[in-house]
């Protein structure tokens, strides 16, 4: 239980803490933890609104957690509820009002909403006191619902929520809503950037970006499973990786058409300009702060590094493109790229997915290569151009990669029209 000083600290730090978090999922999880701590509540849940339904997104329960092994995760089934007056969470979302219920098993019959005993029965847990708070955007749209369950007194007995609890929870909800809304807006902005990149060069960019993103996801999942990463963490990363991979070449918008669309080989000077698309891309994300931007900037900057250190742009500042201290070119020695695991895992993954796709595709400067030749080039690049472990994963995933190519055919490959329109929905 928090003492008075700790409570004051929490209230003061809450705004700063919440505004540092840019992932909606992590944000809501933290909100739940802090809210439960503050009122010494045994359990709690978060619902996120998806259209006209509430999706059960997080659950915490100290009593149930004690019954399982330390480190193990509480398994709860996910479900969704309609936003209507029949359930407690639905009612709070519908009316946009906080609901404070001393005992959910003694609801007045005059109320429309009912507590679903189903949930208690399945989980082997008994809910009593419940505080349900809508999380509202600035425009008063419902972002989600925060539900705090079974407040406890010093002796650990369940008590009703007090008016002072309600006030504090409203404050928490306000802070979380502002931070949550910003996280959603950033995500929407990135989706708009993907569409704009497709509009500039719809012939090439759209299908190429989609194939690189999906192949990258396949490689990442296999890589992450080998490391037994937390499935929730993998799921969260997928979304960011997909968007970052789709935008890997967005920096090419800063390259003039006479270089970008040149039908033959680039001169050395032209290639130096072309290499800057990595830094241009990273810079596009440099002053917006979110997890999405961080991954997108990482991929834009690092997708042309090579495992053996002969790639580009190397150790540079992602804003001005200048070498970082200690990595300046010295007389007689060439500037080296990042090497091996100095290159972020996302950079290593997208490097492989991008080159394979460039080889299989027509470019202004080359005809498509057939599959055996393209695969052989990737195989030969293990340990020189590419992370050898990722090459191994890639070779095991060929059927899957062919399916992705089929789902996102190049313009002019036939039935692509109906397929392509999917990305503009
Ligand atoms: P891109 O066309 O998307 O190609 C991405 C990467 O795939 C290239 O990175 C390279 O590693 C690989 N790749 C593409 N085509 C070939 C190929 O025919 N043979 C081999 N061995 N690898 C290939 P890179 O070289 O750093 O080039 C980056 C970007 O620069 C390319 O993106 C493309 O937009 C442009 N570029 C590269 N070379 C030329 C060129 O000769 N002419 C023109 N017009 N553009 C080029
Ligand atoms: C998707 O992008 O939605 C599917 C990618 C995959 O097959 O993993
Ligand atoms: C763009 O991002 O608009 C262009 C990228 C490309 O040409 O591949
Ligand atoms: C690895 O496990 O391969 C290193 C982790 C990383 O490079 O991100
Ligand atoms: Fe590139
Ligand atoms: Fe590319």
């Amino acid at each position: 239980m928090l003492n008075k000083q700790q409570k004051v600290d929490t209230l003061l730090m809450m705004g700063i803490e919440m505004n540092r978090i840019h992932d909606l999922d992590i944000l809501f999880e933290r909100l739940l933890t802090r809210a439960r701590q503050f009122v010494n509540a045994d359990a709690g849940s978060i619902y996120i609104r998806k259209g006209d339904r509430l999706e059960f997104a997080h659950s915490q329960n100290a009593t149930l957690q004690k019954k399982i092994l330390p480190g193990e995760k509480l398994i709860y089934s996910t479900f969704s509820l309609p936003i209507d007056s029949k359930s407690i969470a639905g009612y709070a979302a519908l009316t946009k009002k906080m609901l404070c219920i001393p005992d959910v098993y003694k609801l007045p019959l005059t109320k429309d909403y009912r507590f679903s005993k189903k949930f208690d029965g399945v989980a082997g847990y008994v809910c009593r006191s419940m505080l349900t708070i809508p999380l509202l955007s600035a425009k008063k749209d419902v972002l989600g619902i925060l539900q705090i369950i079974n407040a406890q007194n010093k002796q650990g007995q369940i008590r009703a929520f007090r008016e002072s609890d309600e006030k504090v929870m409203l404050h928490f909800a306000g802070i979380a809503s502002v931070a949550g809304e910003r996280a959603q807006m950033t995500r929407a902005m990135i989706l708009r950037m993907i569409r704009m990149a497709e509009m500039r060069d719809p012939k090439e960019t759209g299908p190429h970006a989609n194939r690189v993103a999906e192949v990258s996801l396949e490689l990442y999942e296999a890589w992450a499973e080998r490391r037994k990463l937390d499935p929730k963490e993998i799921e969260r990363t997928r979304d960011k990786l997909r968007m970052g991979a789709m935008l890997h070449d967005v920096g090419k918008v800063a390259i003039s058409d006479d270089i970008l669309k040149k039908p033959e080989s680039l001169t050395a000077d032209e290639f130096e300009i072309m290499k800057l698309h990595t830094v241009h891309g990273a810079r596009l994300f440099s002053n917006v702060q979110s997890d999405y931007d961080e991954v997108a900037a990482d991929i834009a900057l690092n997708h042309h590094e090579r495992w053996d250190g002969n790639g580009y742009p190397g150790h540079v500042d992602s804003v001005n493109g200048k070498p970082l201290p200690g990595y300046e070119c010295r007389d007689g020695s060439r500037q080296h790229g990042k090497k091996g695991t100095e290159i972020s895992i996302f950079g290593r993954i997208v490097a492989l997915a991008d080159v394979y796709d460039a080889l299989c595709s027509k470019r202004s400067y080359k005809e498509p290569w057939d599959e055996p030749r393209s695969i052989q080039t990737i195989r030969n690049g293990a340990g020189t151009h590419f992370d050898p472990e990722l090459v191994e994963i890639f070779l095991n995933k060929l059927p899957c990669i062919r399916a992705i190519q089929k789902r996102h055919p190049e313009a002019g490959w036939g039935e692509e029209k109906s397929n392509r329109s999917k990305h503009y929905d």
Side-chain angles (χ1 to χ4, degrees):
M1 215 168 171
L2 301 185
N3 64 33
K4 220 177 194 128
Q5 186 57 49
Q6 288 169 320
K7 285 194 174 180
V8 173
D9 286 351
T10 302
L11 281 175
L12 285 171
M13 296 307 290
M14 190 74 183
I16 295 168
E17 182 185 38
M18 288 284 140
N19 277 293
R20 270 210 202 107
I21 304 174
H22 305 288
D23 183 298
L24 205 58
D25 260 357
I26 298 172
L27 184 98
F28 282 159
E29 219 164 359
R30 191 68 55 82
L31 169 67
L32 191 53
T33 305
R34 289 282 180 254
R36 280 180 47 236
Q37 263 179 3
F38 207 91
V39 297
N40 196 29
D42 193 45
S45 313
I46 296 256
Y47 297 81
I48 296 180
R49 184 180 64 83
K50 296 265 165 75
D52 56 1
R53 295 185 75 83
L54 295 172
E55 249 170 44
F56 189 74
H58 298 284
S59 183
Q60 294 175 359
N61 188 312
T63 297
L64 294 181
Q65 189 73 46
K66 269 185 220 130
K67 293 184 186 165
I68 61 178
L69 294 172
E72 239 178 88
K73 288 213 145 59
L74 203 58
I75 309 281
Y76 52 86
S77 56
T78 53
F79 59 90
S80 74
L81 295 168
I83 295 181
D84 62 21
S85 61
K86 300 282 193 296
S87 68
I88 296 170
Y91 186 87
L94 189 69
T95 59
K96 302 180 184 179
K97 294 231 164 65
M98 180 163 68
L99 268 180
C100 184
I101 300 171
D103 187 340
V104 292
Y105 282 87
K106 293 181 185 152
L107 283 177
L109 293 171
T110 51
K111 301 292 183 199
D112 236 7
Y113 48 82
R114 287 284 157 264
F115 175 64
S116 169
K117 297 179 180 78
K118 245 189 330 198
F119 183 66
D120 267 5
V122 172
Y125 185 76
V126 181
C127 290
R128 289 291 176 189
S129 62
M130 186 181 276
L131 193 57
T132 305
I133 306 133
L135 304 170
L136 302 178
S137 72
K139 282 197 219 143
K140 304 287 176 230
D141 294 325
V142 176
L143 301 170
I145 294 286
L146 168 66
Q147 201 158 59
I148 311 288
I149 296 162
N150 290 354
Q152 294 165 310
N153 63 19
K154 285 201 181 82
Q155 287 74 42
Q157 291 156 329
I158 292 167
R159 63 165 177 85
F161 287 92
R162 307 185 191 103
E163 209 179 308
S164 61
D165 297 334
E166 296 181 18
K167 286 205 182 112
V168 172
M169 289 305 113
L170 276 181
H171 177 67
F172 277 27
I175 291 169
S177 295
V178 172
E181 188 169 33
R182 205 190 44 189
Q184 277 189 342
M185 277 166 57
T186 310
R187 193 174 181 281
M189 191 196 65
I190 302 245
L191 287 168
R192 281 199 299 278
M193 284 177 74
I194 291 172
R195 291 192 187 180
M196 287 193 289
E198 287 186 13
M199 276 158 68
R200 187 194 178 214
D201 191 5
K203 269 210 308 286
E204 253 173 41
T205 313
H208 171 61
N210 274 293
R211 291 190 302 261
V212 171
E214 288 190 24
V215 171
S216 296
L217 284 177
E218 292 296 338
L219 298 178
Y220 170 73
E221 276 184 358
W223 183 90
E225 272 161 27
R226 284 180 175 208
R227 279 162 185 70
K228 309 235 179 315
L229 299 191
D230 177 4
K232 251 181 135 172
E233 171 67 24
I234 297 178
E235 188 53 41
R236 277 201 277 267
T237 302
R238 274 178 59 92
D239 209 28
K240 288 177 273 195
L241 175 58
R242 178 189 288 116
M243 292 207 216
M246 287 198 73
L247 290 168
H248 71 275
D249 270 342
V250 73
K252 284 182 179 174
V253 295
I255 307 295
S256 66
D257 271 3
D258 48 314
I259 294 181
L260 188 64
K261 300 191 173 155
K262 190 177 174 184
E264 60 265 2
S265 293
L266 301 178
T267 66
D269 286 347
E270 287 168 338
F271 193 52
E272 287 308 309
I273 294 170
M274 176 57 91
K275 284 176 173 180
L276 291 175
H277 80 277
T278 51
V279 181
H280 292 314
R283 190 159 42 211
L284 277 174
F285 304 102
S286 65
N287 55 8
V288 213
Q289 293 288 311
S290 86
D291 294 0
Y292 289 106
D293 303 306
E294 211 174 287
V295 172
D298 171 349
I299 291 172
L301 191 66
N302 292 311
H303 74 278
H304 286 293
E305 297 290 356
R306 290 171 51 114
W307 186 255
D308 61 10
N310 289 321
Y312 62 89
H315 302 85
V316 298
D317 183 300
S318 66
V319 175
N320 61 25
K322 299 246 158 56
L324 292 172
Y327 291 101
E328 296 92 351
C329 277
R330 287 189 205 92
D331 292 338
S333 75
R334 39 185 300 229
Q335 190 187 321
H336 289 289
K338 293 173 193 148
K339 204 169 177 170
T341 54
E342 279 175 7
I343 310 160
S344 71
I345 183 60
F346 299 136
R348 274 135 60 197
I349 286 173
V350 174
L352 196 164
D354 182 37
V355 171
Y356 183 67
D357 201 71
L359 297 177
C360 294
S361 306
K362 181 176 161 32
R363 287 286 188 266
S364 62
Y365 60 96
K366 68 177 270 294
E367 286 306 309
W369 293 8
D370 63 23
E371 191 191 79
R373 185 177 174 200
S374 302
I375 292 173
Q376 195 52 44
T377 303
I378 299 295
R379 201 193 299 272
N380 292 343
T384 54
H385 197 155
F386 309 114
D387 177 346
E389 183 184 357
L390 291 176
V391 172
E392 187 193 324
I393 292 173
F394 170 85
L395 294 172
N396 288 330
K397 287 261 173 195
L398 287 173
C400 185
I401 285 157
R402 289 185 193 113
I404 291 169
Q405 291 178 324
K406 247 186 155 152
R407 272 210 297 281
H408 300 287
E410 241 9 92
W413 283 5
E415 38 167 86
E416 43 69 40
K417 276 230 164 64
S418 56
N419 259 309
R420 292 234 34 223
S421 62
K422 264 195 290 199
H423 311 298
Y424 296 93
D425 292 348

